[in-house]
Every structure is written in structure tokens, then in C-alpha cells.
Amino acid sequence: MRTAPRLVAFGLGVAAVFGFAAALGAGLGPIDVGASSDHSSMPPDAALSSDTDDSAAVVEMSGLTVTADGYRFVADVTTVASDKPSTFPFRIAFGDESALTEFETLHERQLHLIVLSRNLVEYLHLHPLMDADGTWRVDLPALRPGSYRVYADFKPRGADRITLATDLAVPGLVEPFDVPKASQRVDIDGFTVSLSGDQAVGESTLTFDITLSGTAVVTEPYLGAAGHLVVIRQGDLGYLHVHPLDSGNGAVRFAAEFPTPGTYRLFFEFSYDGTVRTASFTVEVAASNSTTNDSSMSGMSENHESRSA
């Protein structure tokens, strides 16, 4: 729930830090969460990797920097107005700062863009289009005032997959949110999404069950998967790649490996009847898999209108 009406002035160009909150986000198409160039399901015991080598045992958070491995996220604007839609142009530079123009297809798209408010509430998943000179452009809806983290998830031709991130400011007055009460389910547009599974450092299987009027829903394929999951760590806003597993009968499963204890936000995206919806959860990750934390899961009943790119 929202706090009593108190507004916090947001300084232009200053990254506002808010109290952590949970909410339902609206995705504009799901981001891929696997490490390969397709979205094939993996066996439950498959190891996770932050690059394209599935044999790697160590998973690290990505999206922590604007540059990595010689690649740089170059945004042409760092501030957009809050009262109207805007265009966000950017480039992926390499080496001598020339714009990269050759990308592998990652789950039916060459680049996935996540726009997330730093209070971890407002969430968008977008698919920009690239000009011939390597400039990417994407239309943003009118955003609420605040500070946003923008993630570019892509795979350069012949190289490993990379997630880079930069900041975007939206000036104006910011209304803070309280952390919602713990819950294992989220209601959105008549659907009920339930989350189960251990949340602890190490390998975990997360299962999302979707029902409509009490009947299990089988999701539609979207970008080659039954569902998609984006995981962000509170604090540094690290981005975690997770793998979809075999799904069916209303259940969509993911293999996740949390690198550290702490609070994480889970953005689960699924498609049904041609509409993509996003259910957002908060999980408290324990120090080891020996502790089950189902009671720590929380979701907020606030819904945002679902949109698809």
C-alpha cells in the first residue's frame, strides 16, 4: 500500500533512492532469461551460466556497469520528461566507440531493453529497432518521476551474451511506496499467479502456477518460451540470468541460482490470449538451500495495464 500522501522532491540528474516496494509491472514483451540463442527448456539439474557456456558453474550478476568486455552502452539522452511519451536513442559502442551493427538473434530479437525504476516498482520490457548506422531507438510511455535503470541485453555477432546498464532520470515529484505484506500470490487481470520453491543461495527451482477463475492456464509461447523471468537484486540492481525449464498444466518453472543472500525482485512474464502480463514478486533469499522461505514471498495487488511491443 502507499504511504500517507507525502511527496519527495526529485532533483534533476540525481539518482533518487526510495524505500523498497513490490508491485505488478506491465511488460512490453518478455526478456530472454536463458544463456543460449534459443529458448529451449533445460533439464531441472542443468547448471546456470551468465554467458553462453552452460558448463560454467558460477553465476554472477550482470547489468552492474555501463561497459564490459570492450562494449559500452551509450545513451544519447539521460533525462526524459514525465508528462509525455518520449524516444530513447542509444548505441552499443565497441573499441574505438564506433557503433556496433552486428548482433545475434536472442530469442527472436537482436536486443532486449528493460526499463526499471530504482524503487523496483515500474517495469517495462521493450524491443528497440536499430538504424543502419547502429543507433537503436525505442518509444517510451510517459514515465512516473524518479530514477530508472535501463538494461540492454544482447549478443554481439560471434561473442558472448552481455547485459549493460545505464541510468535515466525523470524529473518531478516522487511518491514513495511501503513494502507490501508477504504473499505467495499475485492477482492480475483476473489471473492468479502463485509462486513456490526455495529461495536460497545456490540452485533453486521457482514454479509459477497460473489460474483463471480457478482453472489452470497453459500459457502461450511468446518469444519461444512458456514464460520469462527477470530477477533484479535490491541495492546494486544486479541483473540475474535464469533458465526456463519444461512447463505445462498451468505451471511455468525456472532454474535460478542466487549468488548472495538478500532481497530480490522477480518479474514473471507470461502470454495468454495474445496479451503479455507481468506479475512481480519480492523474495528474501536465505544463506543456503537448507532454509525454505515461502513465507517471505510478497506480491502487491496493484495492477498496471499490460502492453506488448
Side-chain angles (χ1 to χ4, degrees):
M1 298 178 61
R2 297 186 179 183
T3 59
R6 53 190 172 98
L7 298 180
V8 180
F10 175 81
L12 180 62
V14 178
V17 179
F18 312 102
F20 182 78
L24 290 177
L28 301 187
I31 194 166
D32 160 62
V33 289
S36 65
S37 60
D38 59 28
H39 229 149
S40 302
S41 297
M42 297 179 62
D45 58 350
L48 295 176
S49 172
S50 59
D51 55 28
T52 56
D53 181 6
D54 290 338
S55 64
V58 177
V59 173
E60 297 180 355
M61 304 297 286
S62 57
L64 296 172
T65 61
V66 72
T67 184
D69 299 333
Y71 299 92
R72 183 175 181 82
F73 191 160
V74 182
D76 291 345
V77 299
T78 58
T79 302
V80 297
S82 63
D83 57 350
K84 60 182 179 181
S86 58
T87 299
F88 180 68
F90 64 94
R91 293 170 289 115
I92 303 299
F94 179 71
D96 60 358
E97 298 297 313
S98 60
L100 188 69
T101 59
E102 295 187 354
F103 296 82
E104 304 276 359
T105 298
L106 266 179
H107 315 288
E108 302 181 4
R109 297 292 189 275
Q110 288 190 319
L111 189 144
H112 300 262
L113 199 75
I114 293 292
V115 180
L116 177 66
S117 60
R118 280 189 171 269
N119 62 2
L120 306 181
V121 172
E122 301 297 326
Y123 173 88
L124 297 172
H125 185 150
L126 305 164
H127 297 123
L129 297 177
M130 186 180 67
D131 296 339
D133 65 356
T135 299
W136 293 87
R137 301 180 192 276
V138 66
D139 292 331
L140 300 177
L143 299 174
R144 296 183 183 183
S147 182
Y148 290 76
R149 192 70 170 162
V150 182
Y151 301 86
D153 189 349
F154 61 95
K155 188 177 187 298
R157 182 70 55 84
D160 291 337
R161 179 180 174 181
I162 300 172
T163 302
L164 303 177
T166 191
D167 290 319
L168 182 67
V170 182
L173 298 176
V174 180
E175 185 177 0
F177 287 77
D178 287 334
V179 177
K181 294 181 179 180
S183 174
Q184 297 183 23
R185 75 177 218 175
V186 163
D187 295 317
I188 176 172
D189 297 342
F191 294 85
T192 296
V193 183
S194 301
L195 170 61
S196 60
D198 293 342
Q199 294 87 53
V201 172
E203 296 183 10
S204 300
T205 298
L206 304 176
T207 301
F208 296 86
D209 289 283
I210 307 154
T211 60
L212 180 62
S213 301
T215 302
V217 168
V218 177
T219 61
E220 299 167 346
Y222 190 74
L223 298 182
H228 301 259
L229 182 63
V230 171
V231 178
I232 305 293
R233 180 168 58 191
Q234 185 188 23
D236 62 4
L237 304 188
Y239 177 101
L240 182 66
H241 291 172
V242 295
H243 289 284
L245 303 173
D246 292 333
S247 302
N249 299 323
V252 182
R253 301 188 308 131
F254 299 88
E257 188 171 349
F258 296 101
T260 61
T263 302
Y264 291 77
R265 285 284 278 155
L266 276 57
F267 299 95
F268 169 61
E269 305 172 61
F270 66 97
S271 178
Y272 185 78
D273 198 22
T275 300
V276 178
R277 297 173 173 86
T278 303
S280 305
F281 293 83
T282 302
V283 296
E284 298 294 339
V285 173
S288 71
N289 268 326
S290 61
T291 303
T292 299
N293 293 281
D294 284 347
S295 62
S296 68
M297 294 183 292
S298 64
M300 192 172 184
S301 60
E302 178 183 352
N303 291 347
H304 296 277
E305 180 184 358
S306 295
R307 294 162 290 181
S308 59

